[in-house]
Amino acid sequence: MSRTRTRTRTRQRRPIILLRPVPRETPLHRVWAGTKVLSAAALSVAASFAPSWTGLGILLSVLVVGVLVARIPRGVVPTIPWWVFAVLAVGLVLNAAGGGLTAYVRTMLLGVGLLVLASLVGWTTRLSDLVDALPVLFAPLRLLRLPVDEWVTVCALALRMLPTVRAEMRVLFAARKVRGRPGIRTPAGWWQEVADSVGAVVSVSMRQVRDLGDALAVRGPRSATRRGPRSATRRGPRSATRRPLRLRLGDVLTVLVVAGACTAITVWG
């Protein structure tokens, strides 16, 4: 019985979990969220404009170092469905027949690298830290007189609603799993099932948005996010919206490593 339970547990598929950090106390977890977002953006742009083997190797090296420093376990990687490998195999065969095998492989490696880079930011960053970093990241847009406060508020509310929507989707998928799959599924039946699932998720999200709108209406016209790194004002320390932003040694090292990697990709890529 114990062997059977062990086999069923190992065969259980790991779901895709987005924006859920891995509970660790590592130097990469303590890096400011804005530093990680800007570093990921810089690496993505540099690797996308120079997708050579050298650039992909440098990107892979940075990702390996980041995963090792953050001590990311293997269990956070979701189970990849078989049809993904089937589609990749079909594309590999078609590109090999057409003479574009090298470009296809580099494109696939670049896509996987960017996906792992975005996942690494999500695995090492709490959602609240990401919300707090938005006012600082959008601060330069104030010089162009753009509605930064409104954009930050919308993004912050959307990010804060993600855990609620994710929980509702888990309940929906659990109910679908309990209901089972009656009969042989046809393409028309599969499409109807997808449409029903999307409709249920949209209805649940609309209900959550309505409740959130009512709560904001009762709360009054106040900013939903903290605007930026400010110290105590004349009104006293209680009126301070946020502690001053202090970059640590980990932020400096991250910036230096990413800057060196981007320079190497641009020069040797």
Side-chain angles (χ1 to χ4, degrees):
M1 293 293 293
S2 61
R3 293 181 178 178
T4 305
R5 292 179 181 177
T6 304
R7 291 178 180 177
T8 55
R9 289 178 182 176
T10 55
R11 292 178 182 178
Q12 187 178 3
R13 299 179 59 181
R14 295 186 294 270
I16 299 176
I17 300 176
L18 300 176
L19 294 178
R20 177 177 293 182
V22 177
R24 292 280 193 276
E25 285 295 333
T26 63
L28 192 56
H29 282 77
R30 290 189 291 269
V31 174
W32 181 52
T35 303
K36 288 183 278 191
V37 171
L38 294 177
S39 301
L43 281 175
S44 301
V45 172
S48 299
F49 278 97
S52 61
W53 293 112
T54 304
L56 293 176
I58 296 173
L59 177 62
L60 179 61
S61 302
V62 174
L63 292 178
V64 170
V65 172
V67 170
L68 292 179
V69 171
R71 292 184 294 168
I72 302 299
R74 190 178 59 179
V76 300
V77 181
T79 303
I80 303 177
W82 63 269
W83 54 267
V84 175
F85 296 101
V87 172
L88 294 178
V90 171
L92 182 65
V93 172
L94 294 178
N95 282 272
L101 181 60
T102 303
Y104 177 77
V105 173
R106 285 191 299 183
T107 304
M108 290 297 102
L109 291 178
L110 177 62
V112 173
L114 297 181
L115 182 61
V116 174
L117 180 61
S119 301
L120 185 60
V121 175
W123 289 333
T124 58
T125 309
R126 292 183 300 179
L127 195 60
S128 59
D129 295 339
L130 186 60
V131 171
D132 294 340
L134 290 178
V136 183
L137 295 178
F138 288 167
L141 298 179
R142 299 180 188 275
L143 300 176
L144 302 177
R145 298 188 180 275
L146 296 176
V148 176
D149 293 335
E150 289 76 6
W151 292 355
V152 170
T153 301
V154 171
C155 293
L157 292 176
L159 290 175
R160 292 186 185 278
M161 286 298 297
L162 282 179
T164 305
V165 176
R166 182 173 57 195
E168 295 291 343
M169 291 180 64
R170 291 181 61 183
V171 173
L172 176 64
F173 292 152
R176 174 180 173 274
K177 185 177 180 180
V178 171
R179 186 181 63 182
R181 302 175 179 176
I184 301 176
R185 295 196 299 177
T186 59
W190 182 81
W191 178 254
Q192 184 65 32
E193 186 176 358
V194 171
D196 294 340
S197 301
V198 172
V201 171
V202 170
S203 63
V204 171
S205 302
M206 292 298 294
R207 185 187 64 187
Q208 296 291 338
V209 169
R210 183 187 60 188
D211 296 340
L212 180 62
D214 296 339
L216 290 177
V218 174
R219 183 172 179 261
R222 292 183 295 176
S223 178
T225 59
R226 292 174 282 185
R227 294 188 177 183
R230 298 196 310 179
S231 57
T233 57
R234 295 179 180 178
R235 298 180 182 179
R238 293 184 179 180
S239 62
T241 57
R242 185 177 177 177
R243 292 178 299 178
L245 178 62
R246 297 178 180 177
L247 298 180
R248 302 179 180 178
L249 179 61
D251 297 278
V252 178
L253 292 178
T254 302
V255 171
L256 292 178
V257 170
V258 172
C262 293
T263 304
I265 291 174
T266 305
V267 173
W268 294 324

